[in-house]
């Protein structure tokens, strides 16, 4: 079921979301200081391509908080806004509600990507 969900997600929003995460990663990688942030963006671009069967677990710390504040100001709000608009359009039909939930998961991740870890739903404790 995860495979079917991921295929439909890829067509109806996953590709656009992944491209936006990838572009944000490219922009961050322009500077040496931004490379770790850009690498995090690339990791989440792959999650945006196939989010079904994966969960995001948040573990924070002081460094994660500081990076999340910088991220929110520079890149987080536009990415989160895009995922929220996608979720709004996906909730128009009943069939789109699970996809809207994935889009909201990506919007939350766009607001706080640092301290977040992507885990498989099957291995969740």
């Amino acid at each position: 079921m995860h495979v079917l969900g991921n295929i439909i997600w890829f067509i109806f929003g996953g590709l656009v979301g992944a491209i936006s995460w990838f572009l944000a990663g490219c922009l961050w990688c322009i500077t040496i200081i931004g490379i770790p942030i850009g690498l995090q963006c690339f990791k989440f671009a792959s999650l945006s391509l196939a989010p079904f069967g994966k969960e995001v677990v948040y573990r924070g710390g002081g460094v994660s908080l500081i990076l999340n504040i910088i991220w929110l100001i520079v890149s987080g709000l536009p990415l989160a806004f895009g995922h929220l608009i996608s979720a709004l359009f996906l909730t128009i039909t009943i069939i789109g509600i699970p996809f809207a939930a994935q889009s909201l998961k990506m919007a939350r991740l766009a607001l706080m990507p640092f301290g977040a870890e992507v885990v498989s739903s099957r291995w969740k404790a």
Side-chain angles (χ1 to χ4, degrees), residues 9-10 12-24 41 44-49 79 82-83 86 103 106:
W9 169 260
F10 181 80
F12 292 108
L15 182 61
V16 173
I19 289 171
S20 62
W21 278 100
F22 180 77
L23 290 175
C41 290
F44 293 138
S46 67
L47 172 68
S48 185
L49 288 174
L79 282 172
H83 285 296
S86 173
S103 191
M106 295 302 296

Side-chain angles (χ1 to χ4, degrees), residues 31-51:
T31 65
I32 294 174
I33 296 171
I35 289 175
I37 299 171
L39 294 176
Q40 189 82 340
C41 290
F42 296 143
K43 180 171 68 171
F44 293 138
S46 67
L47 172 68
S48 185
L49 288 174

Side-chain angles (χ1 to χ4, degrees), residues 2-123:
H2 295 300
V3 173
L4 180 61
N6 283 329
I7 291 170
I8 295 171
W9 169 260
F10 181 80
I11 296 168
F12 292 108
L15 182 61
V16 173
I19 289 171
S20 62
W21 278 100
F22 180 77
L23 290 175
C26 288
L27 288 174
W28 278 102
C29 285
I30 290 173
T31 65
I32 294 174
I33 296 171
I35 289 175
I37 299 171
L39 294 176
Q40 189 82 340
C41 290
F42 296 143
K43 180 171 68 171
F44 293 138
S46 67
L47 172 68
S48 185
L49 288 174
F52 285 94
K54 298 176 186 162
E55 300 217 9
V56 179
V57 179
Y58 291 94
R59 298 183 180 105
V63 175
S64 296
L65 176 66
I66 293 168
L67 286 174
N68 279 328
I69 291 171
I70 295 169
W71 166 262
L72 185 63
I73 294 168
V74 177
S75 299
L77 290 176
L79 282 172
F81 184 71
H83 285 296
L84 287 175
I85 295 296
S86 173
L88 181 71
F89 283 120
L90 288 169
T91 56
I92 292 174
T93 64
I94 293 174
I95 296 170
I97 291 174
F99 301 103
Q102 297 302 320
S103 191
L104 290 174
K105 176 171 67 173
M106 295 302 296
R108 181 177 179 203
L109 187 63
L111 292 175
M112 301 181 308
F114 298 98
E117 181 182 346
V118 179
V119 295
S120 177
S121 298
R122 291 174 260 168
W123 304 108

